[in-house]
Amino acid sequence: MSIKSIAAKIFAQKIYKKTQLWANNPVETQKKVLQKLIKDAKQTQFGIDHHFDQIKNEKDFANQVPVRDYEALKPYVDKVVKGEENVLWKGKPLYFAKTSGTTSGAKYIPLTKESMPYHIEAARNAILHYIHETGKADFVDGKMIFLQGSPLLEEKNGVKLGRLSGIVANFVPKYLQKNRMPSWETNCIEDWETKVNAIVGETFDKNMTVISGIPSWVQMYFEKLHQKEGKPVGEIFKNFNLFIYGGVNYEPYRAKFENLIGRKVDSIELFPASEGFFAYQDSQKEKGMLLLLNSGIFYEFIKNDEFYTDNPKRYTIGEVELGVNYVLIISTNAGLWGYNIGDTVQFTSFKPYRIIVSGRIKHYISAFGEHVIGKEVESALQEAIIGTTIRINEFTVAPQINPAAGLPYHEWFIEFENEPEDSVSFAEALDNAMRKQNMYYDDLIVGKVLQKVVVTKVVKNGFQDYMKSIGKLGGQNKIPRLSNDRNIVDLLKSK
């Protein structure tokens, strides 16, 4: 065992104990976080506009600060982008994380000197919790790759901006610099396909032990490795035993990954976003990710089915229930207040508070009142392929409201790696699994409002071609699991 791996185990023990202090006192921890946020932002323009000097508790905060998405907060953000100080948070931000917007074009999410360290520490602590629980630390001596956006940054009115993953790439600690792959020059390549080819060329003969990224784009890397070397990734990288991912559910990809790797490897799930690093998997034995309650973020939760009602109740950490879908609302030390990031979560445990990401509040199908969410389609697909040789590369689901003949239906667009031997039986299994997941969908099938699901095969690399056509190939971009319209699938059909 190397000195570095021994040191990693000692550090992991220290971080684990530190985590337990706040994880065992969740309600009090969150109260302190809110109090500090209010105190630090009291003299900002937002704080003055929303009477932060009168806020004493969570109820006051909910009364004074309405829930907003980016569009509603944009008038304040625009002032920050123009270079004004003390608008949403004291001073100016360190960075803007630039992301794709919906109606307003690019979104500029502020990152401050108070918020930035938590993005770095959370990813580090996820690995340290893994080391503490499993005792495995030898991987720290090998090469680690993080598939991410370019670290080259632009500047806007004195503030640097770029993709979050590119910004974070500038903060890799010195003790990991020699282990980190790919090279700086390769990481700066903007074109994703060119970049992945360069990464393959740099890494195929290295001792890779940790690989990290969004599963769909890591899959592309694995496929190119396999094409180059003609053998499973697990044979190319004999000491590769840890996959770290975030952004999407890994389960739909797991069978394909294990086939590409040739064996099982441990995995750690992360829940990072430009707006904050919210959770990470702290245990290989327990379901869900540890919600980070002591990271400069105050959390509120709104039940999915109440979100679009007038004045829905905002629940704090001590009021939530297990297994209920909540819209995640955050207030942060980067100056986001009552902010709806669009993700929905479910709690899997209270000791400590762990969550899973169940979907997106805007990504659902409810063309007939069924309100199907991302977690349900992912779980249904996983159930339908258990015990089969079917492997999935990618998928998305959309309603077909006006079919040429027959009843409407949910149409599943699936890119198969291994196709079903019997497509009719597969569609039947998929439909039955969906009926278990969503009782409203089951009612629509029983009531003959909908016919059973229709599976449409997508050509090889069809999803990659679609993402490329809209300028979102690679990086942190991902395919929505489901939509309430056919904008995505109509483009897929045209490929």
Side-chain angles (χ1 to χ4, degrees):
M1 185 177 292
S2 70
I3 293 175
K4 186 183 283 189
S5 61
I6 293 171
K9 287 188 174 185
I10 294 170
F11 192 31
Q13 174 74 4
K14 178 181 177 181
I15 293 300
Y16 174 78
K17 288 181 178 178
K18 187 176 179 181
T19 300
Q20 296 309 299
L21 294 177
W22 60 258
N24 291 330
N25 295 281
V27 174
E28 186 61 29
T29 296
Q30 277 284 276
K31 285 183 178 180
K32 288 180 178 178
V33 168
L34 178 60
Q35 288 167 2
K36 181 161 177 53
L37 290 175
I38 294 301
K39 179 183 176 182
D40 287 349
K42 194 173 291 186
Q43 299 305 317
T44 63
Q45 182 181 332
F46 189 93
I48 293 168
D49 290 348
H50 294 80
H51 307 290
F52 275 19
D53 59 337
Q54 299 175 17
I55 295 176
K56 304 293 188 238
N57 52 42
E58 297 95 324
K59 185 176 179 181
D60 291 344
F61 180 79
N63 288 335
Q64 298 286 73
V65 180
V67 171
R68 290 177 167 95
D69 59 12
Y70 184 84
E71 301 303 320
L73 198 65
K74 192 171 182 293
Y76 287 99
V77 176
D78 285 346
K79 291 181 179 181
V80 181
V81 173
K82 288 176 182 176
E84 293 186 31
E85 297 186 13
N86 304 313
V87 178
L88 286 165
W89 190 253
K90 52 192 179 184
K92 282 186 175 185
L94 286 180
Y95 301 94
F96 292 118
K98 187 178 180 181
T99 66
S100 300
T102 49
T103 60
S104 62
K107 293 165 59 177
Y108 297 92
I109 306 298
L111 298 167
T112 64
K113 66 178 182 180
E114 289 82 9
S115 71
M116 195 67 225
Y118 289 114
H119 284 274
I120 312 305
E121 288 176 12
R124 179 202 70 188
N125 290 352
I127 297 174
L128 291 172
H129 272 77
Y130 171 82
I131 292 173
H132 177 266
E133 182 184 53
T134 66
K136 300 174 183 177
D138 289 345
F139 64 84
V140 301
D141 296 312
K143 297 290 187 181
M144 306 178 187
I145 190 168
F146 302 90
L147 294 180
Q148 56 196 183
S150 171
L152 293 178
L153 305 178
E154 305 171 50
E155 193 167 297
K156 198 172 186 69
N157 296 320
V159 178
K160 292 181 179 180
L161 67 92
R163 298 172 184 161
L164 175 66
S165 62
I167 293 170
V168 170
N170 288 273
F171 286 84
V172 175
K174 288 183 179 180
Y175 62 85
L176 284 181
Q177 289 288 2
K178 290 183 179 180
N179 302 65
R180 178 176 177 260
M181 299 290 287
S183 66
W184 180 269
E185 292 76 18
T186 294
N187 221 10
C188 290
I189 296 173
E190 287 288 349
D191 181 76
W192 189 251
E193 289 177 293
T194 304
K195 183 173 187 169
V196 173
N197 286 330
I199 292 172
V200 169
E202 283 189 357
T203 60
F204 76 95
D205 59 350
K206 300 296 189 297
N207 178 30
M208 304 302 303
T209 57
V210 178
I211 296 172
S212 175
I214 290 178
S216 50
W217 307 125
V218 174
Q219 177 179 304
M220 185 177 178
Y221 168 55
F222 284 173
E223 287 171 341
K224 288 182 178 292
L225 278 168
H226 181 71
Q227 289 167 12
K228 177 177 174 56
E229 295 295 293
K231 53 187 177 182
V233 173
E235 289 185 27
I236 301 170
F237 303 140
K238 297 186 183 300
N239 296 315
F240 165 48
N241 283 298
L242 182 59
F243 173 50
I244 303 173
Y245 68 95
V248 298
N249 185 358
Y250 181 41
E251 291 308 316
Y253 300 93
R254 188 177 293 277
K256 174 68 184 292
F257 266 58
E258 289 179 357
N259 181 64
L260 282 168
I261 298 167
R263 54 183 166 81
K264 294 183 178 182
V265 299
D266 288 346
S267 61
I268 302 174
E269 183 177 8
L270 310 178
F271 185 9
S274 299
E275 295 86 353
F277 203 124
F278 307 122
Y280 57 71
Q281 183 180 348
D282 66 318
S283 174
Q284 296 290 299
K285 302 171 185 175
E286 304 296 333
K287 182 180 180 181
M289 295 175 283
L290 180 70
L291 186 63
L292 304 182
L293 302 174
N294 194 36
S295 296
I297 301 171
F298 174 68
Y299 300 95
E300 296 173 283
F301 308 89
I302 299 176
K303 291 182 178 179
N304 266 33
D305 54 7
E306 297 176 2
F307 185 73
Y308 290 110
T309 63
D310 292 335
N311 197 30
K313 177 174 172 55
R314 291 155 68 168
Y315 298 86
T316 56
I317 195 68
E319 300 173 310
V320 294
E321 304 170 54
L322 296 176
V324 174
N325 276 305
Y326 292 100
V327 180
L328 184 62
I329 308 299
I330 59 169
S331 298
T332 78
N333 54 7
L336 301 176
W337 301 102
Y339 189 86
N340 169 24
I341 66 168
D343 286 314
T344 60
V345 300
Q346 288 182 7
F347 284 89
T348 60
S349 75
F350 289 158
K351 293 183 179 181
Y353 279 84
R354 293 192 181 100
I355 59 169
I356 58 171
V357 180
S358 55
R360 297 277 293 169
I361 190 64
K362 290 184 178 180
H363 293 167
Y364 60 90
I365 297 177
S366 198
F368 309 93
E370 62 274 42
H371 208 92
V372 172
I373 62 173
K375 176 181 176 293
E376 292 169 344
V377 295
E378 289 174 340
S379 297
L381 182 60
Q382 186 66 18
E383 181 178 332
I385 66 176
I386 287 176
T388 74
T389 59
I390 299 168
R391 289 197 295 271
I392 307 296
N393 285 341
E394 194 59 271
F395 78 98
T396 192
V397 189
Q400 175 52 272
I401 299 173
N402 299 305
L407 294 171
Y409 52 85
H410 285 187
E411 189 170 8
W412 290 63
F413 287 75
I414 303 177
E415 182 182 328
F416 292 99
E417 173 69 17
N418 274 11
E419 293 187 11
E421 294 179 3
D422 184 340
S423 56
V424 174
S425 295
F426 170 68
E428 181 84 16
L430 192 56
D431 193 76
N432 288 336
M434 267 307 307
R435 292 173 66 177
K436 294 178 190 174
Q437 289 292 324
N438 187 299
M439 63 181 179
Y440 303 111
Y441 177 79
D442 182 56
D443 289 343
L444 292 168
I445 296 293
V446 172
K448 300 192 183 306
V449 176
L450 296 180
Q451 62 173 297
K452 295 179 180 180
V453 303
V454 171
V455 176
T456 298
K457 296 176 186 176
V458 176
V459 297
K460 178 73 173 176
N461 297 324
F463 282 96
Q464 287 184 19
D465 292 342
Y466 162 73
M467 294 296 277
K468 189 174 183 179
S469 73
I470 62 172
K472 291 189 175 183
L473 183 67
Q476 303 302 300
N477 300 307
K478 42 196 178 285
I479 291 280
R481 283 290 175 241
L482 66 182
S483 309
N484 207 37
D485 55 47
R486 294 184 64 82
N487 294 338
I488 293 174
V489 299
D490 285 346
L491 281 174
L492 276 172
K493 274 191 167 182
S494 70
K495 298 297 170 191

